[in-house]
Amino acid sequence: MSPVSDKRKNRRYPSIARAQIQGAFSGDALLKDLSITGCCIECTMRPEIDVRAKYKMLILPEENSGIGSFDLVVECKWVHAADYSCDIGFDIVESPRGKTFQRYVDYLSWRSA
C-alpha cells in the first residue's frame, strides 16, 4: 500500500469506468479508482488541468454494472505525468446525482470483495 492510501479515510475501489472532463481534454480517460471522497483517472495525454481547480467530471460506468452515467464536481489534488500516461487525483466536492454515485461505489465495493 502506498503512503498516500495509508492516509485515506475511505477505501478506494478499482474501476474500469470512463471519465470525461469537458474543456480539459478530448475523449475519455480511465477512472482507475473511486471512493466516496476521491478518485484517480489515467489518460494518455497531459490534460489542461490545474491543481486546486474544480471541474465537472462525467462518469460512464462499465456496462456490466447496470448503472447509468453521473456527474461529479471534483477538485484536482495532484497530477503525475509519465512518458505515455498521466494520472490525476481528485477530491470529490459534490455529487449532483448522489444516489447513482453511491450505487456505483456500492457496486465497486461488492465487485472487489
Side-chain angles (χ1 to χ4, degrees), residues 9 30 36:
K9 290 190 275 184
L30 170 68
I36 59 169

Side-chain angles (χ1 to χ4, degrees), residues 4 11 24 27 49 55 67 78 98 100:
V4 171
R11 181 173 173 203
I49 291 188
Y55 298 92
I67 299 169
W78 52 265
T100 305

Side-chain angles (χ1 to χ4, degrees), residues 74-90:
V74 295
E75 180 180 342
C76 180
K77 289 307 202 183
W78 52 265
V79 177
H80 294 152
D83 291 336
Y84 300 104
S85 69
C86 182
D87 288 351
I88 308 165
F90 297 93

Side-chain angles (χ1 to χ4, degrees), residues 4-57:
V4 171
S5 53
D6 290 343
K7 297 176 186 175
R8 292 186 179 137
K9 290 190 275 184
N10 300 97
R11 181 173 173 203
R12 293 271 180 107
Y13 300 104
S15 170
I16 55 171
R18 293 177 295 139
Q20 298 174 347
I21 301 175
Q22 190 172 17
F25 55 87
S26 61
D28 295 342
L30 170 68
L31 179 67
K32 288 177 67 172
D33 61 45
L34 179 72
S35 74
I36 59 169
T37 58
C39 65
C40 178
I41 64 170
E42 178 181 16
C43 46
T44 57
M45 69 207 92
R46 175 82 160 91
E48 296 296 321
I49 291 188
D50 297 318
V51 174
R52 292 185 297 281
K54 293 182 182 171
Y55 298 92
K56 183 176 179 182
M57 181 185 293

